[in-house]
Amino acid sequence: METRYDVLIVGSGVAGLYASLFFGGDTRVLMLAKRARTVSSSSLAQGGIAAVLDHEDDSFDMHIADTLIAGGYKNNVAAVEALVREGPEDVRKIMELGVEFDRNPDGSLNRTLEGGHSRRRIYHHRDQTGKEIVDKLLAEVSKRKNICLEDNAQIISVVPSGGGFRADLFVNGAVASVFAGFCLMATGGIGRVYMYTTNPPTATGDGIRFAYEIGAKIKNLHFIQFHPTAFDSPDNPERFLISEAVRGEGAYLLNGYKERFMHRYDDRLELAPRDVVSRSILLESRRTGSNRFYLDITRRGRDYLFNRFPAISAACLERGVDIAADLIPVYPCQHYLMGGVDVDLNGRTTVPRLYAAGECAHTAWPATPCSRRWCSAGARRSTSPAVSGPATRGSRRFPFPSTHRVRPCPRA
Ligand SMILES: Cc1cc2nc3c(=O)[nH]c(=O)nc-3n(C[C@H](O)[C@H](O)[C@H](O)COP(=O)(O)OP(=O)(O)OC[C@H]3O[C@@H](n4cnc5c(N)ncnc54)[C@H](O)[C@@H]3O)c2cc1C
């Protein structure tokens, strides 16, 4: 790893990876991952990615309306418009990069349904869509000579320096400093500040802190989404997600008496938006005095379930639950941050040359499978001003400070 780059991308989830691909070969990009490059929320995503590719029974206007309704009309409407209308472009782009979505027997793309969506518009790779996308983006990144991706490189501070930024990091047991003309925060969510979350250990909100410390505006950090159906294991604080697509494919949500109950709270039943379903679970818990809840997907049959949800069925089996025969114990937990670093539609923060994309950037829409799209749309857009800016056309144009050091990590 060298010490001077044109662009520093903090994070190797979908936001960081996708952004890195939009820089030309003469822009030197350093991308950092706090742990291994595949440890991210992006890699864990199961359900799929929402976009309107087929206008026969769907439309941009319907997708926009669904997103506004699910967001309680607190959304940034211009951002929702961009997210929805540019959806097909990003989905096609990642398919060009090799991402494979499940297909119907006639070869058309299979679409699933999730909460808050009035149409089937979620493209998926079985129940491991995130891993498929990350793997293909990583493969593309590895071909680009201008991108240096470092694992186990944890940024500990970012400060303005010489017109760009200096970042201090722990890498391979040592402390190092790097300099870059532009910085893109793509550090993901904050789930690990909660006791129960679906998020990986990397989700500690670092990018939001770094941005805040250098004066960036932060917005709506209280916009937290609680996913209604994480696997409920009293003995294990780690929460494995049971994708909303399981309800999309027909699972019933049952209370402690093994009765369906969503009709008491919302006409959309199990496919109401996530905040509604999570709140209904808490209200039902209060009504019945039981905090046991279950998903029942047994009626779909073993062959279908183990083929459509291989990762979820395997993870449940490890925990002693056969999803083709048993009820799956579930309970809400923290899942997604909708607030974050305040950005414009091009990912620009209120600090010059500092950008943010993906979950750490403020979206104000709920994590339906739109969150993945926010990573790609935000990442792509955030690169456009930087790509055309003079400072990214070769670091020599950029006045870096002459003092940079790589120091060994102090021993205890
Ligand atoms: C279990 C699960 C299932 C999901 N399913 C879906 C779905 O089906 N559809 C959908 O649209 N969305 C889904 N989401 C949400 C979506 O996956 C995330 O919002 C999105 O992937 C976040 O991407 P990101 O690139 O912003 O962050 P992440 O993918 O979390 O990546 C963050 C990166 O930042 C790095 N990082 C953090 N701090 C530092 C630091 N200090 N120094 C260096 N690097 C750092 C991490 O190492 C990591 O590489 C799901 C989320 C989870 C947790």
Side-chain angles (χ1 to χ4, degrees):
M1 186 176 73
E2 295 172 18
T3 51
R4 296 175 183 210
Y5 293 86
D6 300 313
V7 177
L8 169 65
I9 299 179
V10 191
S12 68
V14 165
L17 290 169
Y18 196 61
S20 72
L21 298 176
F22 286 85
F23 291 103
D26 59 346
T27 302
R28 292 185 310 154
V29 177
L30 174 64
M31 185 167 22
L32 302 175
K34 185 152 78 170
R35 296 211 179 163
R37 59 192 65 188
T38 50
V39 178
S40 62
S41 289
S42 299
S43 295
L44 294 177
Q46 301 172 339
I49 182 163
V52 178
L53 267 67
D54 184 342
H55 290 257
E56 206 169 293
D57 68 339
D58 201 356
S59 68
F60 290 147
D61 286 347
M62 290 167 93
H63 191 184
I64 289 168
D66 287 348
T67 309
L68 295 178
I69 291 168
Y73 297 96
K74 293 192 188 328
N75 323 57
N76 173 338
V77 178
V80 173
E81 289 253 355
L83 174 97
V84 168
R85 294 188 191 284
E86 294 171 13
E89 179 185 338
D90 287 319
V91 171
R92 290 196 183 102
K93 170 84 184 162
I94 60 173
M95 288 173 72
E96 278 166 32
L97 294 173
V99 170
E100 288 180 17
F101 291 113
D102 290 354
R103 291 184 181 270
N104 299 312
D106 66 1
S108 59
L109 290 170
N110 182 268
R111 291 174 283 161
T112 191
L113 189 61
E114 293 203 16
H117 290 273
S118 59
R119 289 289 183 277
R120 285 186 170 263
R121 60 168 79 100
I122 291 110
Y123 298 91
H124 58 93
H125 181 96
R126 295 193 174 177
D127 58 355
Q128 291 176 294
T129 311
K131 181 177 181 313
E132 168 71 5
I133 296 174
V134 168
D135 286 352
K136 297 293 161 59
L137 293 180
L138 277 172
E140 186 62 27
V141 163
S142 70
K143 294 180 200 157
R144 306 287 178 102
K145 292 201 168 48
N146 64 313
I147 304 173
C148 169
L149 170 51
E150 286 283 338
D151 297 285
N152 302 311
Q154 177 174 359
I155 296 263
I156 47 179
S157 81
V158 176
V159 290
S161 173
F165 298 95
R166 188 192 83 209
D168 294 332
L169 57 145
F170 283 122
V171 55
N172 298 323
V175 178
S177 298
V178 291
F179 298 88
F182 288 85
C183 179
L184 172 67
M185 292 297 173
T187 54
I190 59 153
R192 289 288 163 155
V193 304
Y194 286 79
M195 181 175 283
Y196 298 112
T197 179
T198 60
N199 290 189
T202 47
T204 48
D206 300 13
I208 298 171
R209 174 169 74 82
F210 301 143
Y212 176 74
E213 283 175 349
I214 55 177
K217 190 173 163 199
I218 310 295
K219 217 169 156 186
N220 291 328
L221 281 185
H222 58 294
F223 282 8
I224 304 285
Q225 183 184 82
F226 291 82
H227 198 291
T229 59
F231 191 96
D232 185 20
S233 42
D235 306 332
N236 184 353
E238 293 297 316
R239 286 292 177 262
F240 177 77
L241 184 71
I242 307 297
S243 170
E244 202 170 33
V246 175
R247 274 174 286 137
E249 298 301 343
Y252 293 142
L253 186 57
L254 308 179
N255 64 17
Y257 298 101
K258 321 266 168 77
E259 302 160 343
R260 287 182 79 186
F261 63 91
M262 277 304 298
H263 58 276
R264 293 199 178 91
Y265 304 101
D266 198 285
D267 291 344
R268 292 163 290 183
L269 305 174
E270 279 85 353
L271 289 177
R274 290 177 192 169
D275 60 318
V276 175
V277 180
S278 290
R279 203 174 311 119
S280 304
I281 286 177
L282 297 188
L283 291 171
E284 184 68 0
S285 177
R286 212 176 287 165
R287 193 185 75 81
T288 60
S290 164
N291 59 7
R292 298 288 156 119
F293 290 87
Y294 306 94
L295 281 175
D296 180 1
I297 186 76
T298 52
R299 67 204 171 92
R300 292 305 306 259
R302 183 174 304 278
D303 287 350
Y304 171 80
L305 290 175
F306 278 65
N307 182 45
R308 173 67 180 84
F309 300 112
I312 291 173
S313 36
C316 286
L317 268 184
E318 270 172 34
R319 293 160 174 80
V321 172
D322 174 357
I323 69 169
D326 304 326
L327 302 182
I328 310 168
V330 291
Y331 202 72
C333 75
Q334 194 282 345
H335 182 62
Y336 183 73
L337 171 68
M338 290 162 283
V341 185
D342 194 14
V343 289
D344 68 11
L345 288 188
N346 287 321
R348 266 184 290 240
T349 72
T350 50
V351 172
R353 294 171 177 268
L354 179 69
Y355 293 76
E359 194 170 333
C360 70
H362 178 263
T363 59
W365 58 64
T368 61
C370 292
S371 46
R372 176 55 54 85
R373 278 275 309 110
W374 171 236
C375 293
S376 48
R380 172 174 43 73
R381 282 171 157 270
S382 68
T383 59
S384 50
V387 166
S388 55
T392 60
R393 295 198 204 108
S395 58
R396 255 171 258 105
R397 288 168 174 263
F398 199 69
F400 289 105
S402 56
T403 50
H404 58 269
R405 291 186 299 278
V406 177
R407 306 186 294 273
C409 192
R411 288 180 192 283

